[in-house]
Amino acid sequence: MSQKFEEMSDNAITQSGIARVIPCRELDVFDSFKWISLAINDFMKAKTISLVYGLIFTLLPLFIFYLVATTSWYLVIFPAMVCFMLIGPYLAAGLYDVSWQFEKNHKPSLRHSLKAMSRNAVNEWGFGIMLMILMIFWLRVASIIHALYPSYLDPNLSNLWPFLAIGTVVGIFFTTLVFFLSAFTQPILLERRVDLATAVLTSMNAVWRNKLPMFVWACVIALSVLIGFMTFFVAFLVLMPIIGYATWHGYIDTIDIKRERTYE
């Protein structure tokens, strides 16, 4: 269980002067497993809504795969990923709203969760654009690494491994950066109606102060994505809603919301 909120020392994030930073709690290492347990409970109590969102998260990558397989036009991946980055935050907001309704002892509905997507629309779009810019930058770096590969070399493992290693390291760096910036940004924007800078800095501060617990949570997310790809995206039908609900519970557990958390 996370510890009760206490005043913490300042750091470069809280003293940046860019925006205010909402205080956070100190987490235990394996708190993320508690979030998963609560998320499964939400999934079971709202199966229909959960499966609707899970179906969307399943069909999107399947559609991208279908376009690539049938047209051999690999460039379609780029605009498809851009669209996903823009609509992804809105879809996630719908999932967070379901857990939020349970928090308030209300019965969630698909209509209410869809309306939640426009609760903080301007900053939601800003968040999507921020993710899109990071993705574009990553794709440009990846293309540069690919361009550095000498065309006269045979594409075997002994020749490819230095470039694969560099690409993996750079990919891990960008993935870590995105997680650092966005771990709790979306739930903050949904509940608080704050500006994007406040939400991002608060998320960064929470991750920085809880490095090990958030590393465990990142591994859980990475494993879920891996399982999704291994099952040809079918597992996303269940995994993505659970990850969404768990993210909300992680937000409630981590960020100071000035109200006591109750568990059934």
Side-chain angles (χ1 to χ4, degrees):
M1 296 285 291
S2 58
Q3 296 180 8
K4 186 177 179 179
F5 170 76
E6 295 179 357
E7 193 69 30
M8 294 184 179
S9 58
D10 291 332
N11 55 34
I13 298 173
T14 58
Q15 294 182 327
S16 65
I18 299 174
R20 71 187 184 95
V21 177
I22 303 168
C24 69
R25 294 176 172 87
E26 182 181 346
L27 300 172
D28 290 337
V29 175
F30 298 110
D31 272 348
S32 55
F33 294 104
K34 176 188 64 180
W35 308 339
I36 292 292
S37 176
L38 293 169
I40 293 174
N41 186 49
D42 288 348
F43 185 96
M44 298 304 294
K45 291 193 296 183
K47 294 187 184 71
T48 301
I49 300 175
S50 302
L51 291 175
V52 167
Y53 281 103
L55 185 62
I56 296 173
F57 279 109
T58 301
L59 291 178
L60 284 174
L62 278 174
F63 180 66
I64 296 174
F65 180 85
Y66 172 79
L67 287 178
V68 174
T70 55
T71 65
S72 298
W73 185 43
Y74 293 93
L75 292 177
V76 76
I77 296 175
F78 176 73
M81 289 179 66
V82 169
C83 292
F84 184 76
M85 287 294 185
L86 289 174
I87 68 175
Y90 280 83
L91 294 175
L95 288 170
Y96 302 149
D97 180 73
V98 173
S99 290
W100 193 11
Q101 292 307 304
F102 283 132
E103 287 274 345
K104 296 185 289 187
N105 294 318
H106 295 169
K107 182 179 180 180
S109 67
L110 182 60
R111 180 181 179 183
H112 192 280
S113 69
L114 292 173
K115 288 175 63 177
M117 298 180 185
S118 59
R119 180 176 172 83
N120 196 350
V122 173
N123 288 292
E124 297 276 3
W125 277 109
F127 180 56
I129 292 172
M130 182 190 77
L131 295 178
M132 182 186 69
I133 292 173
L134 287 172
M135 185 201 66
I136 293 173
F137 188 55
W138 156 236
L139 290 176
R140 296 307 302 167
V141 172
S143 65
I144 292 173
I145 295 174
H146 180 267
L148 292 175
Y149 180 75
S151 58
Y152 57 84
L153 291 178
D154 293 329
N156 53 52
L157 183 59
S158 61
N159 291 328
L160 285 176
W161 78 263
F163 297 93
L164 293 175
I166 294 173
T168 300
V169 171
V170 175
I172 291 174
F173 170 78
F174 274 95
T175 303
T176 303
L177 177 62
V178 170
F179 180 77
F180 189 57
L181 294 174
S182 63
F184 298 119
T185 298
Q186 186 70 11
I188 295 170
L189 290 175
L190 177 64
E191 192 205 28
R192 298 272 182 157
R193 289 192 179 184
V194 297
D195 59 276
L196 180 58
T198 294
V200 171
L201 287 179
T202 299
S203 177
M204 293 171 60
N205 183 58
V207 175
W208 181 256
R209 293 187 184 277
N210 294 283
K211 300 178 187 65
L212 188 54
M214 295 309 296
F215 174 76
V216 174
W217 175 229
C219 289
V220 170
I221 296 175
L223 180 60
S224 300
V225 173
L226 178 62
I227 293 173
F229 277 95
M230 291 176 63
T231 58
F232 201 61
F233 313 119
V234 174
F236 284 161
L237 187 66
V238 174
L239 291 178
M240 294 308 289
I242 289 177
I243 291 298
Y245 297 148
T247 301
W248 174 263
H249 290 294
Y251 159 67
I252 296 297
D253 213 22
T254 307
I255 307 301
D256 178 40
I257 58 174
K258 300 188 183 302
R259 68 174 186 263
E260 290 298 323
R261 176 68 185 271
T262 58
Y263 297 93
E264 297 181 357

mmCIF file of all heavy atoms in Angstrom, residues 21 30 43 45-47 60 72 78 93 109 111 114 128 138 141 161 163 165 178 185 208 220-221 231 238 240-241 264:
data_model
loop_
_atom_site.group_PDB
_atom_site.id
_atom_site.type_symbol
_atom_site.label_atom_id
_atom_site.label_comp_id
_atom_site.label_asym_id
_atom_site.label_seq_id
_atom_site.Cartn_x
_atom_site.Cartn_y
_atom_site.Cartn_z
ATOM 1 N N VAL A 21 3.071 21.711 -9.640
ATOM 2 C CA VAL A 21 3.185 20.261 -9.601
ATOM 3 C C VAL A 21 2.338 19.747 -8.444
ATOM 4 O O VAL A 21 2.552 20.114 -7.291
ATOM 5 C CB VAL A 21 4.655 19.830 -9.418
ATOM 6 C CG1 VAL A 21 4.751 18.315 -9.297
ATOM 7 C CG2 VAL A 21 5.506 20.324 -10.581
ATOM 8 N N PHE A 30 5.483 -3.113 -5.218
ATOM 9 C CA PHE A 30 4.549 -3.939 -5.986
ATOM 10 C C PHE A 30 3.108 -3.439 -5.893
ATOM 11 O O PHE A 30 2.165 -4.225 -6.019
ATOM 12 C CB PHE A 30 4.641 -5.391 -5.515
ATOM 13 C CG PHE A 30 5.999 -6.006 -5.736
ATOM 14 C CD1 PHE A 30 6.830 -6.291 -4.663
ATOM 15 C CD2 PHE A 30 6.460 -6.268 -7.020
ATOM 16 C CE1 PHE A 30 8.085 -6.844 -4.864
ATOM 17 C CE2 PHE A 30 7.710 -6.813 -7.232
ATOM 18 C CZ PHE A 30 8.530 -7.109 -6.155
ATOM 19 N N PHE A 43 -13.333 -4.475 -14.581
ATOM 20 C CA PHE A 43 -13.639 -5.153 -15.840
ATOM 21 C C PHE A 43 -14.826 -6.092 -15.663
ATOM 22 O O PHE A 43 -15.741 -6.124 -16.498
ATOM 23 C CB PHE A 43 -12.411 -5.933 -16.319
ATOM 24 C CG PHE A 43 -12.587 -6.580 -17.668
ATOM 25 C CD1 PHE A 43 -12.128 -5.948 -18.816
ATOM 26 C CD2 PHE A 43 -13.195 -7.824 -17.798
ATOM 27 C CE1 PHE A 43 -12.290 -6.539 -20.065
ATOM 28 C CE2 PHE A 43 -13.369 -8.414 -19.028
ATOM 29 C CZ PHE A 43 -12.912 -7.769 -20.166
ATOM 30 N N LYS A 45 -17.169 -5.933 -13.470
ATOM 31 C CA LYS A 45 -18.403 -5.206 -13.160
ATOM 32 C C LYS A 45 -18.930 -4.423 -14.356
ATOM 33 O O LYS A 45 -20.081 -3.978 -14.351
ATOM 34 C CB LYS A 45 -18.170 -4.252 -11.974
ATOM 35 C CG LYS A 45 -17.951 -4.962 -10.655
ATOM 36 C CD LYS A 45 -18.031 -4.008 -9.479
ATOM 37 C CE LYS A 45 -16.936 -2.956 -9.501
ATOM 38 N NZ LYS A 45 -16.976 -2.079 -8.304
ATOM 39 N N ALA A 46 -18.092 -4.225 -15.371
ATOM 40 C CA ALA A 46 -18.506 -3.470 -16.566
ATOM 41 C C ALA A 46 -18.015 -4.200 -17.814
ATOM 42 O O ALA A 46 -17.285 -3.640 -18.625
ATOM 43 C CB ALA A 46 -17.971 -2.042 -16.510
ATOM 44 N N LYS A 47 -18.430 -5.434 -17.963
ATOM 45 C CA LYS A 47 -17.919 -6.283 -19.051
ATOM 46 C C LYS A 47 -18.225 -5.707 -20.429
ATOM 47 O O LYS A 47 -17.359 -5.651 -21.296
ATOM 48 C CB LYS A 47 -18.495 -7.689 -18.950
ATOM 49 C CG LYS A 47 -18.073 -8.495 -17.734
ATOM 50 C CD LYS A 47 -18.581 -9.924 -17.854
ATOM 51 C CE LYS A 47 -18.269 -10.750 -16.609
ATOM 52 N NZ LYS A 47 -19.087 -10.335 -15.454
ATOM 53 N N LEU A 60 -7.874 -1.721 -34.192
ATOM 54 C CA LEU A 60 -6.966 -0.713 -34.749
ATOM 55 C C LEU A 60 -5.659 -1.321 -35.244
ATOM 56 O O LEU A 60 -5.272 -1.103 -36.401
ATOM 57 C CB LEU A 60 -6.711 0.389 -33.715
ATOM 58 C CG LEU A 60 -7.846 1.401 -33.522
ATOM 59 C CD1 LEU A 60 -7.525 2.352 -32.380
ATOM 60 C CD2 LEU A 60 -8.080 2.185 -34.796
ATOM 61 N N SER A 72 1.058 -3.848 -49.360
ATOM 62 C CA SER A 72 2.529 -3.802 -49.308
ATOM 63 C C SER A 72 3.039 -2.365 -49.238
ATOM 64 O O SER A 72 4.185 -2.078 -49.601
ATOM 65 C CB SER A 72 3.135 -4.511 -50.529
ATOM 66 O OG SER A 72 2.778 -5.877 -50.534
ATOM 67 N N PHE A 78 2.866 4.850 -40.842
ATOM 68 C CA PHE A 78 3.115 6.164 -40.259
ATOM 69 C C PHE A 78 1.822 6.961 -40.034
ATOM 70 O O PHE A 78 1.542 7.381 -38.901
ATOM 71 C CB PHE A 78 4.087 6.957 -41.123
ATOM 72 C CG PHE A 78 4.332 8.358 -40.638
ATOM 73 C CD1 PHE A 78 5.085 8.598 -39.510
ATOM 74 C CD2 PHE A 78 3.774 9.438 -41.310
ATOM 75 C CE1 PHE A 78 5.297 9.886 -39.049
ATOM 76 C CE2 PHE A 78 3.979 10.726 -40.870
ATOM 77 C CZ PHE A 78 4.744 10.946 -39.743
ATOM 78 N N ALA A 93 -9.409 7.976 -21.950
ATOM 79 C CA ALA A 93 -10.240 8.775 -21.053
ATOM 80 C C ALA A 93 -11.570 8.089 -20.788
ATOM 81 O O ALA A 93 -12.103 8.145 -19.675
ATOM 82 C CB ALA A 93 -10.466 10.165 -21.649
ATOM 83 N N SER A 109 -21.687 4.071 -17.717
ATOM 84 C CA SER A 109 -22.373 3.807 -18.979
ATOM 85 C C SER A 109 -21.447 4.173 -20.124
ATOM 86 O O SER A 109 -20.549 5.020 -19.977
ATOM 87 C CB SER A 109 -23.673 4.611 -19.077
ATOM 88 O OG SER A 109 -23.404 5.995 -19.173
ATOM 89 N N ARG A 111 -22.249 5.777 -22.781
ATOM 90 C CA ARG A 111 -22.516 7.164 -23.173
ATOM 91 C C ARG A 111 -21.748 8.142 -22.290
ATOM 92 O O ARG A 111 -21.152 9.094 -22.782
ATOM 93 C CB ARG A 111 -24.018 7.438 -23.091
ATOM 94 C CG ARG A 111 -24.409 8.859 -23.472
ATOM 95 C CD ARG A 111 -25.908 9.073 -23.341
ATOM 96 N NE ARG A 111 -26.278 10.439 -23.673
ATOM 97 C CZ ARG A 111 -27.511 10.919 -23.593
ATOM 98 N NH1 ARG A 111 -28.507 10.130 -23.186
ATOM 99 N NH2 ARG A 111 -27.768 12.175 -23.899
ATOM 100 N N LEU A 114 -18.028 8.061 -23.074
ATOM 101 C CA LEU A 114 -17.716 8.749 -24.326
ATOM 102 C C LEU A 114 -17.735 10.263 -24.142
ATOM 103 O O LEU A 114 -16.911 10.979 -24.718
ATOM 104 C CB LEU A 114 -18.717 8.345 -25.417
ATOM 105 C CG LEU A 114 -18.636 6.890 -25.897
ATOM 106 C CD1 LEU A 114 -19.780 6.583 -26.846
ATOM 107 C CD2 LEU A 114 -17.289 6.617 -26.569
ATOM 108 N N GLY A 128 -2.194 14.485 -27.146
ATOM 109 C CA GLY A 128 -2.059 13.631 -28.327
ATOM 110 C C GLY A 128 -1.019 14.156 -29.300
ATOM 111 O O GLY A 128 -0.225 13.392 -29.860
ATOM 112 N N TRP A 138 11.065 9.923 -33.173
ATOM 113 C CA TRP A 138 11.613 8.570 -33.065
ATOM 114 C C TRP A 138 11.726 7.910 -34.441
ATOM 115 O O TRP A 138 12.730 7.271 -34.761
ATOM 116 C CB TRP A 138 10.761 7.736 -32.134
ATOM 117 C CG TRP A 138 10.840 6.245 -32.366
ATOM 118 C CD1 TRP A 138 9.816 5.407 -32.621
ATOM 119 C CD2 TRP A 138 12.021 5.436 -32.367
ATOM 120 N NE1 TRP A 138 10.266 4.135 -32.793
ATOM 121 C CE2 TRP A 138 11.619 4.108 -32.645
ATOM 122 C CE3 TRP A 138 13.372 5.686 -32.167
ATOM 123 C CZ2 TRP A 138 12.508 3.056 -32.725
ATOM 124 C CZ3 TRP A 138 14.270 4.629 -32.248
ATOM 125 C CH2 TRP A 138 13.842 3.342 -32.519
ATOM 126 N N VAL A 141 14.726 9.305 -36.242
ATOM 127 C CA VAL A 141 15.975 8.745 -35.716
ATOM 128 C C VAL A 141 16.155 7.312 -36.218
ATOM 129 O O VAL A 141 17.258 6.902 -36.611
ATOM 130 C CB VAL A 141 15.974 8.776 -34.176
ATOM 131 C CG1 VAL A 141 17.170 8.013 -33.616
ATOM 132 C CG2 VAL A 141 15.985 10.216 -33.676
ATOM 133 N N TRP A 161 23.755 -6.958 -36.081
ATOM 134 C CA TRP A 161 23.601 -6.803 -34.637
ATOM 135 C C TRP A 161 24.036 -5.432 -34.104
ATOM 136 O O TRP A 161 23.389 -4.910 -33.170
ATOM 137 C CB TRP A 161 24.315 -7.928 -33.880
ATOM 138 C CG TRP A 161 25.811 -7.803 -33.766
ATOM 139 C CD1 TRP A 161 26.748 -8.375 -34.540
ATOM 140 C CD2 TRP A 161 26.520 -7.032 -32.771
ATOM 141 N NE1 TRP A 161 28.002 -8.031 -34.127
ATOM 142 C CE2 TRP A 161 27.890 -7.203 -33.038
ATOM 143 C CE3 TRP A 161 26.129 -6.233 -31.699
ATOM 144 C CZ2 TRP A 161 28.879 -6.577 -32.274
ATOM 145 C CZ3 TRP A 161 27.111 -5.614 -30.945
ATOM 146 C CH2 TRP A 161 28.462 -5.802 -31.228
ATOM 147 N N PHE A 163 23.639 -2.509 -35.499
ATOM 148 C CA PHE A 163 22.550 -1.571 -35.781
ATOM 149 C C PHE A 163 21.297 -1.937 -34.993
ATOM 150 O O PHE A 163 20.570 -1.052 -34.535
ATOM 151 C CB PHE A 163 22.261 -1.575 -37.292
ATOM 152 C CG PHE A 163 23.428 -1.105 -38.118
ATOM 153 C CD1 PHE A 163 24.345 -2.009 -38.626
ATOM 154 C CD2 PHE A 163 23.615 0.242 -38.372
ATOM 155 C CE1 PHE A 163 25.429 -1.578 -39.386
ATOM 156 C CE2 PHE A 163 24.694 0.679 -39.118
ATOM 157 C CZ PHE A 163 25.605 -0.234 -39.622
ATOM 158 N N ALA A 165 21.368 -3.338 -32.077
ATOM 159 C CA ALA A 165 21.668 -2.943 -30.695
ATOM 160 C C ALA A 165 21.453 -1.442 -30.504
ATOM 161 O O ALA A 165 20.845 -1.004 -29.517
ATOM 162 C CB ALA A 165 23.103 -3.325 -30.343
ATOM 163 N N VAL A 178 8.645 8.580 -23.063
ATOM 164 C CA VAL A 178 7.189 8.671 -23.199
ATOM 165 C C VAL A 178 6.502 8.248 -21.906
ATOM 166 O O VAL A 178 5.552 8.893 -21.445
ATOM 167 C CB VAL A 178 6.703 7.811 -24.387
ATOM 168 C CG1 VAL A 178 5.181 7.696 -24.374
ATOM 169 C CG2 VAL A 178 7.173 8.407 -25.704
ATOM 170 N N THR A 185 -0.469 11.433 -16.874
ATOM 171 C CA THR A 185 -0.915 12.693 -17.476
ATOM 172 C C THR A 185 -2.388 12.651 -17.841
ATOM 173 O O THR A 185 -3.146 13.581 -17.547
ATOM 174 C CB THR A 185 -0.078 13.007 -18.721
ATOM 175 O OG1 THR A 185 1.297 13.166 -18.342
ATOM 176 C CG2 THR A 185 -0.558 14.291 -19.382
ATOM 177 N N TRP A 208 9.477 10.057 -11.044
ATOM 178 C CA TRP A 208 10.820 10.288 -10.516
ATOM 179 C C TRP A 208 10.921 9.910 -9.040
ATOM 180 O O TRP A 208 11.909 9.332 -8.604
ATOM 181 C CB TRP A 208 11.204 11.754 -10.700
ATOM 182 C CG TRP A 208 12.579 12.090 -10.208
ATOM 183 C CD1 TRP A 208 12.909 12.753 -9.066
ATOM 184 C CD2 TRP A 208 13.816 11.754 -10.843
ATOM 185 N NE1 TRP A 208 14.272 12.870 -8.941
ATOM 186 C CE2 TRP A 208 14.856 12.259 -10.025
ATOM 187 C CE3 TRP A 208 14.147 11.083 -12.015
ATOM 188 C CZ2 TRP A 208 16.203 12.100 -10.352
ATOM 189 C CZ3 TRP A 208 15.490 10.934 -12.339
ATOM 190 C CH2 TRP A 208 16.499 11.446 -11.509
ATOM 191 N N VAL A 220 5.000 -4.353 -16.368
ATOM 192 C CA VAL A 220 3.679 -4.971 -16.499
ATOM 193 C C VAL A 220 3.035 -4.543 -17.818
ATOM 194 O O VAL A 220 2.464 -5.364 -18.551
ATOM 195 C CB VAL A 220 2.774 -4.584 -15.313
ATOM 196 C CG1 VAL A 220 1.330 -5.021 -15.567
ATOM 197 C CG2 VAL A 220 3.290 -5.209 -14.030
ATOM 198 N N ILE A 221 3.138 -3.247 -18.141
ATOM 199 C CA ILE A 221 2.573 -2.741 -19.392
ATOM 200 C C ILE A 221 3.279 -3.360 -20.590
ATOM 201 O O ILE A 221 2.639 -3.804 -21.557
ATOM 202 C CB ILE A 221 2.678 -1.207 -19.442
ATOM 203 C CG1 ILE A 221 1.834 -0.579 -18.334
ATOM 204 C CG2 ILE A 221 2.230 -0.683 -20.812
ATOM 205 C CD1 ILE A 221 1.984 0.923 -18.231
ATOM 206 N N THR A 231 -0.372 -12.885 -29.410
ATOM 207 C CA THR A 231 -1.692 -13.459 -29.686
ATOM 208 C C THR A 231 -2.346 -12.792 -30.889
ATOM 209 O O THR A 231 -3.564 -12.898 -31.085
ATOM 210 C CB THR A 231 -2.605 -13.329 -28.468
ATOM 211 O OG1 THR A 231 -2.728 -11.935 -28.122
ATOM 212 C CG2 THR A 231 -2.053 -14.090 -27.279
ATOM 213 N N VAL A 238 -8.981 -7.880 -23.825
ATOM 214 C CA VAL A 238 -9.110 -7.878 -22.365
ATOM 215 C C VAL A 238 -8.013 -7.046 -21.710
ATOM 216 O O VAL A 238 -8.273 -6.294 -20.763
ATOM 217 C CB VAL A 238 -9.063 -9.321 -21.819
ATOM 218 C CG1 VAL A 238 -9.039 -9.329 -20.299
ATOM 219 C CG2 VAL A 238 -10.259 -10.117 -22.335
ATOM 220 N N MET A 240 -6.121 -4.414 -22.719
ATOM 221 C CA MET A 240 -6.106 -2.956 -22.806
ATOM 222 C C MET A 240 -7.090 -2.300 -21.842
ATOM 223 O O MET A 240 -6.733 -1.310 -21.181
ATOM 224 C CB MET A 240 -6.371 -2.516 -24.247
ATOM 225 C CG MET A 240 -5.269 -2.915 -25.221
ATOM 226 S SD MET A 240 -3.617 -2.397 -24.684
ATOM 227 C CE MET A 240 -3.703 -0.629 -24.916
ATOM 228 N N PRO A 241 -8.334 -2.801 -21.726
ATOM 229 C CA PRO A 241 -9.212 -2.217 -20.697
ATOM 230 C C PRO A 241 -8.660 -2.374 -19.281
ATOM 231 O O PRO A 241 -8.750 -1.444 -18.470
ATOM 232 C CB PRO A 241 -10.524 -2.999 -20.868
ATOM 233 C CG PRO A 241 -10.508 -3.459 -22.270
ATOM 234 C CD PRO A 241 -9.065 -3.758 -22.572
ATOM 235 N N GLU A 264 -13.432 -1.771 -1.355
ATOM 236 C CA GLU A 264 -14.498 -2.686 -0.969
ATOM 237 C C GLU A 264 -13.908 -4.033 -0.620
ATOM 238 O O GLU A 264 -12.943 -4.442 -1.230
ATOM 239 C CB GLU A 264 -15.515 -2.826 -2.116
ATOM 240 C CG GLU A 264 -16.220 -1.481 -2.419
ATOM 241 C CD GLU A 264 -17.234 -1.638 -3.544
ATOM 242 O OE1 GLU A 264 -17.326 -2.758 -4.101
ATOM 243 O OE2 GLU A 264 -17.914 -0.676 -3.847
#
